[in-house]
Amino acid sequence: MFKLTDEEYNQILAFKRDLHMHPELSRQEFETTRKIKTFLEALPSCKILPVPAPTGVVAVIRGSGEGPEIMLRADIDALPQTEEYESPWKSQTPGVMHACGHDFHTASLLGAALILNRMQLAGRLKGTVDLVFQPAEEGTTGARMLLDAGLFDWIHPQYCFGIHNWPSVESGKIVCNQGPLMSAKRNFDILIHGSGGHGSMPHLNVDPIVCAAAIIQSLQTVVSRNTNPLDSVILSINQIEGGSPMNLVVDKVSMKATVRSLSEAALDRAIARTQAIVENTALAYECRSEIVWKERIPSVFNTPEMTTLARTCAESTGCQVVDAPPSLASEDFALYRAFAPSFFYWVGSRSPEETKTEELHRPRFHTDDTALRYAAELYAASACLG
Ligand code: NI
């Protein structure tokens, strides 16, 4: 396998820093998409496929021999946060920040494209490599967008690989866990319909705010009373909206919530209990309820067979291969597992000199960019299986 040259490393480092300065939110990654295409168009062996999605890039490098088709996926979007970490490449877009390091993933996959392009030109690439730069991972709708755009009509991978930088692990280490790595989840909206009126006449109104308060309190029992303590389940009401500054009872309260678990069975149970509690509590308060369930995202699950393959790839980078505790964060990379055996790596991204971890989605989040090299070589090694 080829290694990233120093010149190539500097090229992807500059690309990453440029993306970091100019982050774009989910489904608005138009400039990011343009920059990725420009980068790939300079590689003679790389062909961009016209998958009809408004943002994101899918490209292919075809080798010259017999070998499997392998998909490598990076995500490209940023978050609505204000960056507080000072650096010469701090975000220049107010209120938007690459706080999850998707700029790191994008640059790493471009680094792999540089390596694989050189291999192809030297006649050393056997199979086919699909490069998927996925939009809108935050909010976990981008994988679905690509699937609906016919991604797997254009490419037919036998394996899929993805990475996430992992700031609680030092750079130079790669996490290759077997089993559930990241959480299954289902987001949902709750609507409580009451009957509004003058606040002086509570007997003539049905107040959805009191009902919403009871629902929020009761939903806490899904984790505390309905979940096996050995399973990890989270149920959070993340937003509540409703009310009036006047002495007025309103008609409606809406909430946004998420329920998630590393265990699909525990998530099934939590969803069923949530449905029952919302419906029946609303009835008890003479309200009408609606739950709008969003697409269920499965857990990121690394099978024993894929873990064996992935460990070999990780070891070939010279990095230390380690285990780490799984995370209740979710990843829509999990949706690709229905189409091909998949593996998800975490690439250590905290500088060994830093003792304090700035976690993902924090305003002072940042990556140790020496790890870009390891991530690029890891992607490339994963593309050269078989
Ligand atoms: Ni992320």
Side-chain angles (χ1 to χ4, degrees):
M1 223 265 308
F2 289 5
K3 295 285 179 189
L4 201 67
T5 66
D6 288 345
E7 193 185 339
E8 288 168 341
Y9 171 75
N10 289 332
Q11 198 183 342
I12 62 168
L13 179 62
F15 193 98
K16 190 259 182 187
R17 288 174 173 172
D18 176 61
L19 278 196
H20 198 83
M21 287 167 76
H22 303 102
E24 294 179 299
L25 292 172
S26 302
R27 294 172 181 263
Q28 297 170 30
E29 311 95 334
F30 296 103
E31 270 304 293
T32 304
T33 295
R34 188 189 61 74
K35 289 171 187 171
I36 295 167
K37 283 185 174 168
T38 302
F39 190 103
L40 293 175
E41 278 161 1
L43 307 182
S45 70
C46 187
K47 185 172 173 238
I48 294 171
L49 300 175
V51 176
T55 53
V57 181
V58 181
V60 65
I61 300 177
R62 288 186 211 288
S64 50
E66 288 294 306
E69 178 169 343
I70 293 177
M71 172 179 136
L72 307 176
R73 178 272 214 169
D75 43 16
I76 67 173
D77 53 326
L79 282 158
Q81 285 181 260
T82 298
E83 180 159 28
E84 291 178 9
Y85 186 69
E86 293 300 329
S87 74
W89 38 89
K90 188 176 177 179
S91 171
Q92 294 187 355
T93 308
V96 184
M97 174 193 175
H98 268 294
C100 205
H102 297 185
D103 49 348
F104 178 101
H105 309 156
T106 303
S108 302
L109 187 51
L110 291 172
L114 292 172
I115 295 172
L116 295 164
N117 175 62
R118 270 193 295 122
M119 289 181 71
Q120 200 273 356
L121 296 178
R124 298 265 303 271
L125 187 69
K126 292 181 190 162
T128 297
V129 185
D130 308 315
L131 307 167
V132 175
F133 296 86
Q134 183 207 297
E137 194 286 322
E138 303 295 353
T140 53
T141 62
R144 173 55 56 199
M145 184 163 89
L146 288 186
L147 292 172
D148 289 347
L151 176 67
F152 290 121
D153 297 333
W154 293 92
I155 61 173
H156 303 89
Q158 278 134 283
Y159 303 109
C160 302
F161 289 92
I163 68 162
H164 208 291
N165 80 91
W166 212 245
S168 59
V169 174
E170 288 177 3
S171 58
K173 295 180 179 177
I174 296 171
V175 178
C176 280
N177 277 23
Q178 182 180 313
L181 184 71
M182 300 181 76
S183 189
K185 92 165 172 189
R186 196 144 193 208
N187 290 346
F188 59 103
D189 297 341
I190 304 172
L191 298 172
I192 308 299
H193 300 277
S195 177
H198 199 291
S200 66
M201 292 174 266
H203 56 300
L204 300 180
N205 307 323
V206 178
D207 187 352
I209 289 184
V210 177
C211 176
I215 286 175
I216 293 171
Q217 289 297 107
S218 299
L219 284 176
Q220 306 311 308
T221 63
V222 173
V223 175
S224 67
R225 301 291 83 192
N226 303 143
T227 298
N228 182 336
L230 298 179
D231 286 332
S232 303
V233 175
I234 295 175
L235 194 156
S236 297
I237 311 294
N238 297 317
Q239 189 187 58
I240 176 165
E241 200 175 324
S244 160
M246 312 294 287
N247 185 20
L248 182 75
V249 172
V250 294
D251 286 323
K252 193 175 86 174
V253 170
S254 61
M255 295 183 259
K256 289 190 179 300
T258 185
V259 59
R260 50 182 67 204
S261 178
L262 290 169
S263 155
E264 301 283 352
L267 183 58
D268 288 341
R269 168 81 170 140
I271 288 171
R273 288 301 300 144
T274 298
Q275 183 81 37
I277 286 170
V278 171
E279 280 175 10
N280 291 300
T281 307
L283 281 178
Y285 284 79
E286 298 183 302
C287 287
R288 188 168 64 79
S289 66
E290 285 175 70
I291 301 190
V292 181
W293 290 100
K294 306 294 170 65
E295 178 171 17
R296 181 169 173 157
I297 305 295
S299 63
V300 172
F301 189 95
N302 292 329
T303 63
E305 298 77 20
M306 289 303 292
T307 306
T308 303
L309 292 177
R311 281 181 171 263
T312 309
C313 299
E315 280 160 5
S316 76
T317 65
C319 286
Q320 190 184 347
V321 178
V322 297
D323 281 332
S327 167
L328 270 285
S330 291
E331 242 292 348
D332 66 5
F333 178 79
L335 288 175
Y336 302 122
R337 185 155 56 88
F339 298 87
S342 299
F343 190 89
F344 202 67
Y345 300 100
W346 287 341
V347 176
S349 60
R350 190 187 79 245
S351 166
E353 277 103 62
E354 293 186 29
T355 48
K356 183 170 182 288
T357 298
E358 291 292 347
E359 269 301 342
L360 304 169
H361 296 210
R362 303 279 300 169
R364 289 181 51 75
F365 168 81
H366 55 280
T367 51
D368 175 5
D369 290 335
T370 59
L372 276 176
R373 175 186 294 280
Y374 310 131
E377 292 176 359
L378 178 64
Y379 268 134
S382 303
C384 295
L385 278 174

